[in-house]
Amino acid sequence: VALLAACVRRGFKVLSAMRAGARADPTRIRVADLRESSNDPLSRSVRYRLKKEHGIEGGIPVVFSLEKPKAKLLPFQASKEEETPSDYQIVPGFRVRIIPVLGTIPAIFGQVMASYVITQLAGLDFQTEPVVNLDLDHYRMLHQRLIEHEELMYGTAEQVLVDSEEVMYIVKELWRVRSARDQSQKDTGRKMWRSVNELMLVRWDKSKAAGISNLILLKFSEADAHESTTLDRIKEEEPEFYSMVSRVLKRAEMEFAL
């Protein structure tokens, strides 16, 4: 924990592996910010200590598994009656009990870390899969909200060119279930569920149809403000925001060959 904190304070890039023990499903392994990791006791402990001891709440990419641990620490069994757990410690306070490990999982963790580091060094755009725990009903709700907004603003929903599955891509992959105006990683788990109730999709460019490459996710109040302004004004007054949104929507164009 102290090493991670030192790297953050000095601005060094760092990648950390969380617990690989007691897991067996390689498809559940993810790379995400420490704040987004779930079902991992080690991640929870590291988050707590970083915040309490160093005032750091995130910003550290980690490799972890979404799979719930299938076993607990094994009890200590001394080979002789007079032996104690401390006799087996490499350094004082070092854990001596073990947790079952399927040998392939730590190896996959290592391969994931190697791939992440190589792509970072090569300057490749590494788009990690968002850790989002929403079900299809949430995306259907956002789709319906888009239709209702289109009918209110334009008198018809004929220009809505996306379905619920495409809304899932837009919300999850492009905007990571966060307002385009606030991409900081704050809400996770159940908090993310609640935050969806404050979000809606609106057209970025009002002169174009509501398609995959022309929808942004905003809070209700932000959506109202967006509808009352123009892209030229946003480009002039908020060039960084304009560039960020344009870059994200360009990604959608490329991935869907639009």
Side-chain angles (χ1 to χ4, degrees):
V1 173
L3 180 59
L4 290 175
C7 289
V8 172
R9 285 196 299 268
R10 289 165 173 77
F12 295 160
K13 290 185 177 181
V14 61
L15 174 66
S16 182
M18 297 293 104
R19 180 185 289 180
R23 268 81 170 192
D25 187 352
T27 67
R28 301 292 187 91
I29 298 173
R30 298 288 187 275
V31 179
D33 189 278
L34 180 62
R35 282 176 291 196
E36 294 187 88
S37 58
S38 59
N39 289 337
D40 183 46
L42 180 58
S43 295
R44 186 164 55 248
S45 176
V46 172
R47 276 198 305 270
Y48 174 79
R49 290 186 56 191
L50 278 172
K51 183 176 181 179
K52 181 179 180 181
E53 300 172 12
H54 304 280
I56 298 172
E57 297 189 26
I60 300 173
V62 296
V63 179
F64 69 102
S65 174
L66 291 169
E67 183 181 7
K68 291 184 178 180
K70 297 185 179 301
K72 297 181 180 180
L73 286 171
L74 296 178
F76 175 79
Q77 293 180 337
S79 58
K80 300 178 182 178
E81 291 185 2
E82 64 273 14
E83 291 178 333
T84 64
S86 60
D87 295 332
Y88 292 85
Q89 290 178 329
I90 299 175
V91 294
F94 195 84
R95 191 182 74 193
V96 294
R97 292 190 298 162
I98 61 173
I99 191 167
V101 176
L102 178 62
T104 54
I105 300 301
I108 296 173
F109 267 52
Q111 293 291 332
V112 170
M113 296 180 77
S115 296
Y116 181 89
V117 170
I118 290 171
T119 55
Q120 290 292 304
L121 292 174
L124 297 179
D125 187 15
F126 193 99
Q127 294 289 339
T128 59
E129 182 182 7
V131 181
V132 178
N133 299 316
L134 300 182
D135 55 39
L136 189 56
D137 286 341
H138 287 96
Y139 300 110
R140 288 171 178 159
M141 176 188 69
L142 288 167
H143 183 242
Q144 182 60 35
R145 195 172 288 166
L146 169 63
I147 291 174
E148 293 173 357
H149 180 72
E150 286 282 312
E151 291 175 341
L152 178 64
M153 293 296 299
Y154 305 100
T156 178
E158 292 181 357
Q159 291 295 303
V160 175
L161 306 182
V162 294
D163 57 23
S164 296
E165 290 189 2
E166 290 166 331
V167 165
M168 181 187 300
Y169 166 82
I170 296 168
V171 173
K172 180 180 178 181
E173 298 289 340
L174 296 184
W175 302 113
R176 307 179 81 86
V177 199
R178 295 179 177 89
S179 166
R181 288 194 168 277
D182 184 11
Q183 286 290 289
S184 59
Q185 297 166 324
K186 296 183 296 184
D187 297 329
T188 59
R190 293 188 180 278
K191 289 183 179 180
M192 183 173 286
W193 282 35
R194 291 192 292 269
S195 69
V196 172
N197 295 327
E198 304 173 356
L199 298 172
M200 63 184 296
L201 289 166
V202 297
R203 299 187 196 186
W204 171 241
D205 184 343
K206 292 188 283 290
S207 67
K208 298 180 180 179
I212 289 178
S213 60
N214 191 40
L215 287 169
I216 61 173
L217 192 63
L218 295 172
K219 294 180 180 178
F220 294 154
S221 58
E222 295 168 343
D224 291 339
H226 181 75
E227 294 291 8
S228 64
T229 189
T230 64
L231 287 186
D232 289 338
R233 185 174 179 181
I234 294 174
K235 186 176 183 179
E236 179 182 353
E237 298 179 355
E238 302 176 274
E240 291 185 3
F241 175 67
Y242 181 89
S243 297
M244 182 275 291
V245 172
S246 299
R247 185 171 59 252
V248 171
L249 296 180
K250 185 66 176 179
R251 174 189 163 196
E253 287 185 7
M254 295 176 62
E255 293 187 357
F256 281 82
L258 299 176

